[in-house]
Amino acid sequence: MVFIYMLDKSNLDLQHLRSFLAVAETLHFTSAAHRRGVSQSTISLHISRLEEALGISLLSRSTKVVELTSSGHTLIRLAQDALQSHDRIFQLSEKLETQTQIRLGLTEDLILSDLPLLLRNFRKQNNKTQVSLITGLSHQLRDRLGTGDIDLMFGMQAPHETHGTLLWQETLKWYMHPEEILDKEKSIPLVVFPEGSVTRRIALETLNRHKIRWHIAFCSDSLSALLGAVKAGYGCTLQPGFLQRSALASPIVIPDLPEALPVGFVALNNKQEFSSLENMLIQATKDAFPG
């Protein structure tokens, strides 16, 4: 107990601890010196200073053999823990200090949600962080994550998919111009994204499940183009329900078509965990979109 008290209270030099561990692992001052890239006299000085600071003997020395005392054996684990904690603190410090930019990929539909207001508030609260935006379809953004073009993406997750961290769930709605009339006895004209789109896949699966015929009337990788095509009377499209609140969706209405399964909006990056800044943005999004 006395030994541990003194270790906690003393102002230890971490270099002395590193030299002690090198000796403890090699049981040889010359080998420890080579490992640390210092002279043998420096290793001896470090051990002596450490023993003075702790008031105990760590090594039993003779002309031929270096052995650890019982206190020396006890110190090994404590020294390893202290150095690991020190290294983790500096790794965290470097991570927080160097991340001054988040390259964020968003699906275009999110630009028409309340997310831009949230991003504005996040940028004001973290004014030293630059948030760059790139838009694209979900599968395109995942490709850009893989190539390192973006750091983080918010995109759509199809039903039954499990990738990513869920931000919120969203209902999908059918949209069409109010002057158009759909005849479900005939083929439904669809306005869709290209192959690979989550909403395209769900739209086709929903109509097929209800045995409703369909054909692709307009296709584009731009949501603005899809909404323009719907307003021009090309057909109907399946998109997130929050578009009803967007001025760009006016005067589009909801036609009488089968209800589709809801989708999730998720956060993804290409690392094992999110950074502190990314977690802050993710949590702010979860709080703003509780549905």
Side-chain angles (χ1 to χ4, degrees):
M1 293 299 295
V2 174
F3 167 72
I4 295 176
Y5 171 83
M6 294 184 69
L7 180 60
D8 287 342
K9 295 301 183 180
S10 297
N11 185 17
L12 297 177
D13 189 320
L14 295 179
Q15 297 306 318
H16 297 172
L17 287 178
R18 295 186 195 279
S19 292
F20 164 74
L21 288 177
V23 174
E25 291 168 4
T26 62
L27 295 179
H28 196 275
F29 276 75
T30 302
S31 298
H34 288 161
R35 176 174 294 191
R36 296 231 48 221
V38 297
S39 67
Q40 181 177 334
S41 60
T42 298
I43 292 290
S44 297
L45 178 62
H46 287 178
I47 299 300
S48 296
R49 293 284 172 80
L50 182 59
E51 289 178 326
E52 290 173 8
L54 298 175
I56 57 175
S57 176
L58 299 172
L59 300 173
S60 175
R61 304 170 180 83
S62 71
T63 56
K64 295 182 179 180
V65 180
V66 176
E67 294 181 342
L68 290 166
T69 65
S70 59
S71 297
H73 281 291
T74 303
L75 180 61
I76 290 177
R77 181 59 183 271
L78 293 173
Q80 290 172 338
D81 290 344
L83 291 172
Q84 288 172 0
S85 297
H86 170 270
D87 292 342
R88 284 197 296 268
I89 289 171
F90 274 90
Q91 288 169 2
L92 176 62
S93 173
E94 290 171 2
K95 189 175 183 181
L96 292 174
E97 188 67 27
T98 57
Q99 188 175 13
T100 58
Q101 177 181 357
I102 297 178
R103 296 170 299 169
L104 177 64
L106 297 179
T107 50
E108 190 180 354
D109 45 19
L110 290 176
I111 301 297
L112 301 182
S113 72
D114 296 329
L115 191 62
L117 178 60
L118 182 149
L119 288 175
R120 180 177 183 272
N121 292 334
F122 178 82
R123 290 172 61 238
K124 287 175 64 178
Q125 294 169 4
N126 301 274
N127 54 19
K128 293 184 179 179
T129 301
Q130 178 183 342
V131 181
S132 304
L133 294 181
I134 297 174
T135 61
L137 299 178
S138 291
H139 69 280
Q140 295 171 339
L141 294 176
R142 284 196 291 271
D143 289 342
R144 301 195 75 163
L145 272 179
T147 58
D149 292 337
I150 57 177
D151 306 307
L152 176 70
M153 69 162 279
F154 288 177
M156 192 178 290
Q157 177 196 71
H160 313 305
E161 291 182 338
T162 58
H163 60 269
T165 297
L166 183 65
L167 300 171
W168 81 92
Q169 285 223 312
E170 183 71 33
T171 57
L172 293 178
K173 299 290 184 181
W174 296 96
Y175 296 91
M176 120 181 145
H177 193 278
E179 295 180 6
E180 297 300 312
I181 298 176
L182 290 182
D183 186 350
K184 284 186 282 188
E185 298 301 319
K186 298 180 180 179
S187 179
I188 301 296
L190 293 181
V191 175
V192 294
F193 286 119
E195 289 282 354
S197 158
V198 173
T199 53
R200 173 185 174 129
R201 184 165 78 249
I202 295 176
L204 303 189
E205 290 174 353
T206 300
L207 295 178
N208 289 340
R209 188 165 58 249
H210 289 82
K211 297 180 170 55
I212 298 175
R213 289 182 296 164
W214 53 267
H215 65 276
I216 304 299
F218 185 92
C219 181
S220 173
D221 60 2
S222 165
L223 178 59
S224 299
L226 297 189
L227 295 177
V230 171
K231 292 178 183 180
Y234 278 88
C236 58
T237 189
L238 184 70
Q239 300 298 334
F242 57 66
L243 291 185
Q244 296 175 85
R245 302 191 295 272
S246 172
L248 293 179
S250 178
I252 296 174
V253 297
I254 310 297
D256 180 22
L257 284 174
E259 182 177 351
L261 294 174
V263 295
F265 278 91
V266 298
L268 285 165
N269 67 7
N270 60 355
K271 308 180 190 70
Q272 291 185 341
E273 58 185 21
F274 296 109
S275 71
S276 298
L277 280 169
E278 290 170 349
N279 272 321
M280 289 172 59
L281 180 56
I282 289 169
Q283 189 57 54
T285 304
K286 288 181 176 182
D287 294 342
F289 294 85

